[in-house]
Amino acid sequence: SNFLRTLSRYAHLTGLQAIFLVNLGLTANDTMAPLPNYGPHFLLANFLLSYICTSTRIQKLGLRIDNNMNPRYDLASPRAEKLVSTGRITQEQLDQMRRVQSAHSNSMEHYTVFVAAVLSAIVARLDNGMVNRYAVLYTIARAAYFWVYRQNTTRSAAGVRSVLWWVSNILCIRLFWFAGKALNADVV
């Protein structure tokens, strides 16, 4: 049966790992049990990723260069250049924090696209496995995007970052597309 084939494919996984993969839509659901929709959970996770985890605030606090009265000014010239010239931070630290700030801004901007895509998919009643799968892939793409942007010091890394940006866009566009098709399925 299909269930036994699926079970044998994932025999090396524990029962919880297999259930986890099925619930996220990453493997076939041969049990006929409905899958939960983790879209709202991924909205929360990506909110935290976009607005908190990608922020420069913790790094700036650790270096004691945080200016909470005007935090964006911390990394802007001439204040940032003064931090480097006085030895409070290195040029490499400044460059990395500026990249992190750029990735943070992009993450916050892109979060709204992800929210709209997931909510469209939920309203259109797309298969929960599909919503979960796209949300997992989006989250992985955005986390990788942030990491590559943070570490980016070469043209090839910048190219990888751009590919990851497009991957996250395409995942959202596909959810919009499938939601549109589902919402208009009965329209002649």
Side-chain angles (χ1 to χ4, degrees), residues 22-23 29 31-37 127-129:
V22 168
N23 283 339
N29 179 17
T31 65
M32 302 305 274
L35 293 177
N37 184 318
D127 175 67
N128 288 345

Side-chain angles (χ1 to χ4, degrees), residues 27-46:
T27 63
N29 179 17
D30 294 332
T31 65
M32 302 305 274
L35 293 177
N37 184 318
Y38 291 115
H41 299 87
F42 279 100
L43 292 178
L44 176 60
N46 278 276

Side-chain angles (χ1 to χ4, degrees), residues 89-108:
I89 61 173
T90 66
Q91 185 64 48
E92 291 79 21
Q93 287 173 314
L94 175 60
D95 292 344
Q96 185 181 64
M97 282 189 288
R98 284 178 170 166
R99 289 190 306 272
V100 168
Q101 182 62 44
S102 295
H104 175 65
S105 296
N106 183 272
S107 293
M108 291 188 304

